[in-house]
Amino acid sequence: MGRNVDPTALLPERSVLSLEEYLEMQAAVGNRTRFEILYRLSHAAELTPTELDSVMDVDDSTLHYHLEKLRDVGLIEKRVRTERDSNGLYTYYRPTVLGDVILEHGVEELLRREWDFGEAYDSSAA
């Protein structure tokens, strides 16, 4: 690839999202709290804010702030029940397909590669 390659050339011809939207997703998951929320949702299928709060060290308002950020960029979705479940809960969050993909092929992939190619990641070894 040459120097004058436009990064928007990475997008499919009929991309559903713009490059800016993809970058917003990447930036959102780059935050430690949001990464942990997405990670936990992805590995549990869906959780309530109460369930997330019980396993994370974050106050309620901060949790809801980060849930909304993840929803705004399309990495998670909110499902609201019209009737309470057995625990009295109405609201559940789950990852979107894009949320699962950005997690699996983003940070998790980097972590897996470090296990496989640890020396290549260590710039001090050169």
Side-chain angles (χ1 to χ4, degrees):
M1 296 191 134
R3 285 187 196 192
N4 296 323
V5 176
D6 182 358
T8 58
L10 293 168
L11 294 171
E13 189 174 311
R14 294 183 182 174
S15 181
V16 176
L17 300 173
S18 69
L19 180 60
E20 288 73 22
E21 289 168 314
Y22 280 112
L23 294 174
E24 286 174 7
M25 287 179 184
Q26 190 68 41
V29 80
N31 172 277
R32 171 73 163 96
T33 301
R34 291 191 289 268
F35 169 77
E36 185 175 348
I37 290 168
L38 183 60
Y39 181 85
R40 290 182 181 280
L41 290 174
S42 184
H43 289 84
E46 70 176 15
L47 295 169
T48 67
T50 304
E51 291 167 327
L52 282 167
D53 190 43
S54 71
V55 295
M56 293 181 65
D57 184 26
V58 63
D59 64 68
D60 191 53
S61 63
T62 301
L63 176 65
H64 285 279
Y65 169 80
H66 289 295
L67 285 168
E68 285 306 308
K69 283 288 212 185
L70 289 167
R71 273 188 68 210
D72 288 347
V73 298
L75 295 176
I76 66 172
E77 58 189 13
K78 180 179 178 179
R79 183 172 64 85
V80 179
R81 292 184 174 182
T82 55
E83 296 180 20
R84 288 181 170 198
D85 71 5
S86 60
N87 296 318
L89 303 171
Y90 288 104
T91 305
Y92 291 80
Y93 290 89
R94 61 183 170 209
T96 62
V97 171
L98 289 170
D100 279 334
V101 169
I102 201 167
L103 187 67
E104 181 182 345
H105 297 287
V107 177
E108 283 186 347
E109 179 65 20
L110 289 171
L111 294 170
R112 280 191 296 274
R113 285 178 179 243
E114 183 175 358
W115 278 99
D116 294 338
F117 306 108
E119 289 180 14
Y121 274 59
D122 185 3
S123 62
S124 67

